[in-house]
Amino acid sequence: MRYIRSRAITFTVSILLWLLLSFSLDWQHLLVGAFAALLVAWMMGDMFAGQPGKWLSPRRYGWFAFYMFVFAWECFKANIDVAYRVLSPRLPINPGIVKVKTTLKTETALTFLANFITLTPGTFSVDIEKESGYIYIHWIDVKTQNIEEASRIIVSKSERILKEVFE
Amino acid sequence: MRSIRWLAGSITLVCALVFIFGVLKAEMATKLMLYLLICFFLSLYRILKGPTAADRSVATDILGILVIGFCAILAVYTGKGWYIDIAIAWALQSFIGTLALAKFLEGRHFDE
Amino acid sequence: MNETASLVFILVGISFDLFGCIGLIRLPDVYNRLQASTKCVTLGTCGILFGVFLRLGFSAGGVKALICIVFVLLTAPVAAHALAKGAHKYGVKLWERSVCDKYTEDKK
């Protein structure tokens, strides 16, 4: 049952992407798209949607919209920050690699956390250790080297939202 | 020394911007493309100069993302929609190319 | 009106691209360069594509520009992450005035 449901989700997502890309409701386009989406769903298996039950709850989509909003605002702030650092004549940087701890477990959540860290002000993820939950972060303006302190400053804000969305 | 270099660089940049948007008599599309061309030259400088192979890989990655924006501008101002298709294909291809470069950098460590 | 808004988005996007490329020139080592240029160039290219979407509206080209924004936002940070890890394994040192390097300490 779980087998069929995860393939059905992959099929739906890929045929939606096909419809947006071809942008026509002609029956020939639909036929080719359905064929290609079937092929993709059969080949991917449950790599794309590992736990299909999560895709059906509307609460997660609400939290995801909130996440996108926070992400856009942080991304804009990050760009202003980088522009200030790059254009100022004294080059005010104080870089270093620090280590933080996260409580997220699933791979999708860790990927989105790394993307969030990379596009938010001053931080950049270098490596993830999945078993122990440590992330190595290049910080352009190191404020503290303590693990708990750095975790509180960098990851705690996004971790709460991502836990609602993906776990 | 650093402040002199900063002054020279900013004067050059401001002169280029004034030339492109004030002096030059051309269409808006040409001006936008020339503005983007400055970014291309800066990252090409890093490719030529870069002290290590990692610097060159980073600059190549950035150049790949800049080309997407160039294709999008071309799609608007020439009126040919298929330039956006080129942009999507370029985004995916340059991602795979960058991953291959990163794997190459990792592998070089072992044969020392 | 629509054309003015799209032109403003495209100009702001190209300006962020320019800041990212200046960062690529000015900053001292690979990790700082990667950090500044990835952030600025990703948002700048997304700004250009959003301007294109405003200009073309909900037609075939405009929707493709939106899909391209999603692709760039998903792929650019992952590529930068892979490059940083590769550069560290390759043996590129941090800038000599860096504060700390927990990664090298743990890998020894």
Side-chain angles (χ1 to χ4, degrees):
Chain A
M1 190 57 207
R2 176 166 164 265
Y3 217 64
I4 295 174
R5 266 165 70 196
S6 64
R7 278 168 170 69
I9 287 169
T10 313
F11 177 77
T12 316
V13 171
S14 45
I15 203 167
L16 272 179
L17 188 64
W18 171 270
L19 280 181
L20 284 178
L21 275 176
S22 70
F23 213 71
S24 79
L25 282 175
D26 192 35
W27 68 270
Q28 291 173 343
H29 277 109
L30 275 177
L31 190 67
V32 176
F35 190 69
L38 264 181
L39 194 68
V40 168
W42 175 61
M43 279 170 62
M44 287 284 285
D46 52 0
M47 271 163 64
F48 181 66
Q51 287 146 317
K54 286 181 183 174
W55 285 72
L56 299 176
S57 74
R59 216 182 89 250
R60 292 180 194 274
Y61 291 98
W63 276 102
F64 190 69
F66 179 62
Y67 167 75
M68 289 308 289
F69 181 73
V70 174
F71 179 75
W73 173 241
E74 292 285 326
C75 196
F76 186 70
K77 267 200 316 194
N79 278 272
I80 301 295
D81 181 65
V82 168
Y84 162 69
R85 284 183 203 282
V86 161
L87 293 182
S88 117
R90 293 208 334 273
L91 210 62
I93 61 174
N94 183 24
I97 293 182
V98 299
K99 184 177 174 186
V100 300
K101 182 157 179 54
T102 175
T103 52
L104 296 176
K105 287 285 182 292
T106 56
E107 278 186 29
T108 323
L110 280 174
T111 311
F112 271 85
L113 183 67
N115 276 13
F116 189 89
I117 288 169
T118 300
L119 291 178
T120 46
T123 52
F124 177 82
S125 60
V126 175
D127 198 1
I128 300 179
E129 281 184 359
K130 219 180 77 184
E131 291 81 23
S132 49
Y134 286 116
I135 305 182
Y136 295 94
I137 288 181
H138 183 268
W139 201 352
I140 205 168
D141 184 15
V142 177
K143 293 194 183 71
T144 170
Q145 298 187 24
N146 190 0
I147 292 180
E148 283 84 25
E149 191 91 11
S151 308
R152 195 176 53 75
I153 296 176
I154 297 173
V155 294
S156 65
K157 188 166 45 179
S158 55
E159 210 178 48
R160 221 174 48 235
I161 306 174
L162 284 173
K163 195 167 272 182
E164 295 287 339
V165 180
F166 291 108
E167 290 192 354
Chain B
M1 188 59 208
R2 175 183 276 171
S3 56
I4 294 173
R5 262 198 334 216
W6 182 80
L7 207 63
S10 51
I11 286 174
T12 317
L13 211 60
V14 168
C15 285
L17 288 186
V18 166
F19 175 73
I20 289 174
F21 285 99
V23 181
L24 201 66
K25 297 256 186 307
E27 291 179 27
M28 202 61 210
T30 319
K31 290 181 182 177
L32 288 177
M33 284 178 203
L34 282 177
Y35 190 13
L36 200 51
L37 207 63
I38 299 176
C39 308
F40 278 98
F41 276 119
L42 289 179
S43 57
L44 274 178
Y45 171 79
R46 180 50 71 195
I47 291 180
L48 286 177
K49 175 102 185 310
T52 63
D55 291 285
R56 298 199 169 96
S57 312
V58 171
T60 315
D61 179 31
I62 297 306
L63 201 63
I65 302 178
L66 286 176
V67 170
I68 301 168
F70 199 77
C71 285
I73 292 176
L74 273 177
V76 171
Y77 287 98
T78 59
K80 297 199 168 55
W82 39 263
Y83 275 115
I84 301 234
D85 299 346
I86 300 177
I88 291 178
W90 191 286
L92 299 176
Q93 288 288 323
S94 97
F95 172 61
I96 294 172
T98 309
L99 284 190
L101 273 176
K103 284 293 159 200
F104 171 71
L105 285 179
E106 278 187 34
R108 277 297 287 269
H109 187 66
F110 295 117
D111 57 19
E112 280 175 352
Chain C
M1 177 56 207
N2 224 351
E3 290 193 5
T4 319
S6 88
L7 191 63
V8 167
F9 265 99
I10 291 177
L11 275 177
V12 170
I14 302 180
S15 304
F16 277 128
D17 276 0
L18 186 65
F19 295 151
C21 289
I22 293 171
L24 199 63
I25 298 292
R26 282 197 76 196
L27 291 172
D29 71 346
V30 180
Y31 308 100
N32 289 315
R33 283 173 197 150
L34 200 51
Q35 165 146 324
S37 56
T38 302
K39 274 172 199 158
C40 273
V41 171
T42 306
L43 191 82
T45 305
C46 288
I48 296 174
L49 285 166
F50 193 73
V52 170
F53 164 70
L54 283 183
R55 178 72 170 253
L56 297 178
F58 275 101
S59 61
V63 172
K64 274 175 201 162
L66 280 186
I67 293 176
C68 200
I69 288 181
V70 175
F71 281 160
V72 170
L73 276 182
L74 281 180
T75 58
V78 178
H81 172 86
L83 271 178
K85 201 174 161 188
H88 210 285
K89 287 243 175 84
Y90 183 65
V92 180
K93 296 278 185 298
L94 267 78
W95 189 35
E96 67 265 22
R97 271 158 53 195
S98 299
V99 180
C100 56
D101 188 0
K102 292 274 166 54
Y103 193 49
T104 313
E105 288 169 17
D106 283 8
K107 288 293 156 185
K108 265 174 190 171

